[in-house]
Amino acid sequence: MAKQRALLSRDRVLRAAIRLADDSGLDSLTMRKLGQALGVEAMSLYNHVANKDDLLDGMLDLVLSEIDLSPDAADPEAALRKGVISAHEVLMRHPWACGLILSPSPFRVFPARMRYMESLLGRLTDAGFSADLTYHGYHALDSHILGFTLWALGHTLDVEDPAAFAASFVENLRADGYTHLIEHVEQHLDESRRDEKGEFEFKLDLILDGLKRMRG
Amino acid sequence: MAKQRALLSRDRVLRAAIRLADDSGLDSLTMRKLGQALGVEAMSLYNHVANKDDLLDGMLDLVLSEIDLSPDAADPEAALRKGVISAHEVLMRHPWACGLILSPSPFRVFPARMRYMESLLGRLTDAGFSADLTYHGYHALDSHILGFTLWALGHTLDVEDPAAFAASFVENLRADGYTHLIEHVEQHLDESRRDEKGEFEFKLDLILDGLKRMRG
DNA sequence: ACCTGAACACCGTTCAAGT
DNA sequence: ACCTGAACACCGTTCAAGT
């Protein structure tokens, strides 16, 4: 460890925290370990963040800033669809973020989140949806972005050999007659199907097509 | 506290833990507080659950058992829709459950979850969906159940006067020109719209109608 | 067989003391 | 102004000792 470390700053603390959470998960993000990663004692961090909640808010603010929900007057429907997918991709890169945004207490507000909300609502309006459809459509899309992504992340099983795991899982199921579940697991093992982005967009298009039909 | 307490058992421990989490949230569910609620020291709990993860799995097993996904040969489409709504209602009653099921590590398997998966797949098949549509439809519906419910729970702001909170929130937004977001918050304040179940079913019907159209 | 006191290795956070 | 040692009030969990 170099003796001459760069000076601590809020930005350096937040970026180190994101890296630590990306690499090792939120459970590994403790003030002590974060200090260690920065070559400093845990207590020093409190000179740059108010407390751990403030740290988490700051991390989310940087992450949501990566989302690109910019307008496209030439093709507003494509801009909406692309923005939603951008949000999904950003949240998949930072697997700890979705759960944090959706944790009920405290309700987290920070600048990038407001900009995200404003932009998503703007892209819905641009696409020609009425105030009423924009209202419901926002809920459908925001819950798809955060909810589906968290759901997908919650189904990534962290095991060396997924095929072997699934095989022994199916074996256990067979004895108890879970016929539909066995078929579903076998469909998952079909390499041609294992396409997470495809699943996100499949449901996204169900939602978007339904909204467009209601728009008439 | 009565001196003569009923004997501890795994079932009593699990039910007390569910009550504590329902009333005070998952953060309040510590082994020490759970012991206290049962009139016992924390260490006694380890005679009935292997560890805290085993406790959480047991709690989820009881909760998911409340879901009614029974078939209805006379109207299989209604059975599917009713079952999805039943799952949502159960998960709303136990606000800590969704987040736990979707927490990525460990991937939680327990009997009631397998029965839930098997039943949901069965209701999709009953409704006449092909193997392929059942595969994608299961992902769309399961992620809607768990993801939307968690999303909705993550938006319940725990404040004494929501209207006053929203008003001051809007005031802050106005200075920064968040016009779409202001309109959205004002739509939320419209009493006639505040219908959480409506929002769940709005998106559910987008998904179900889309699936039915693909079924042809 | 079931319960518990003491202990261990952790948390977030405060605060007086150092530079 | 920024960093830190010591301390406090918590966690989950183990284990030997009690009944």
Side-chain angles (χ1 to χ4, degrees), chain B residues 134-210:
Chain B
T134 295
Y135 176 79
H136 293 296
Y138 174 82
H139 296 154
L141 291 179
D142 190 46
S143 70
H144 179 53
I145 291 167
L146 292 168
F148 182 94
T149 307
L150 186 62
W151 178 89
L153 290 165
H155 285 79
T156 57
L157 38 109
D158 200 16
V159 73
E160 339 77 82
D161 189 349
F165 178 85
S168 87
F169 186 65
V170 164
E171 216 45 56
N172 289 340
L173 294 176
R174 217 175 289 279
D176 299 315
Y178 289 109
T179 54
H180 295 114
L181 188 46
I182 291 170
E183 181 178 5
H184 187 77
V185 173
E186 283 169 347
Q187 284 172 314
H188 269 281
L189 292 177
D190 185 344
E191 197 60 61
S192 66
R193 259 184 230 271
R194 200 120 35 107
D195 181 3
E196 195 51 71
K197 193 184 167 194
E199 293 294 303
F200 179 80
E201 295 188 18
F202 177 84
K203 189 170 152 201
L204 171 58
D205 287 331
L206 289 180
I207 296 166
L208 286 178
D209 290 349

Side-chain angles (χ1 to χ4, degrees), chain B residues 4-57:
Chain B
Q4 187 69 335
R5 305 275 294 88
L7 277 180
L8 231 51
S9 68
R10 183 178 170 88
D11 193 65
R12 279 195 68 224
V13 169
L14 295 180
R15 292 186 189 284
I18 289 172
R19 200 176 320 124
L20 188 55
D22 284 350
D23 293 346
S24 316
L26 255 199
D27 286 346
S28 292
L29 179 66
T30 69
M31 298 304 266
R32 285 170 172 82
K33 282 187 193 157
L34 178 56
Q36 202 176 321
L38 287 160
V40 103
E41 297 300 319
M43 306 71 116
S44 305
L45 301 172
Y46 288 86
N47 288 306
H48 302 96
V49 294
N51 50 40
K52 192 162 185 186
D53 266 337
D54 181 41
L55 173 75
L56 296 172
D57 278 351

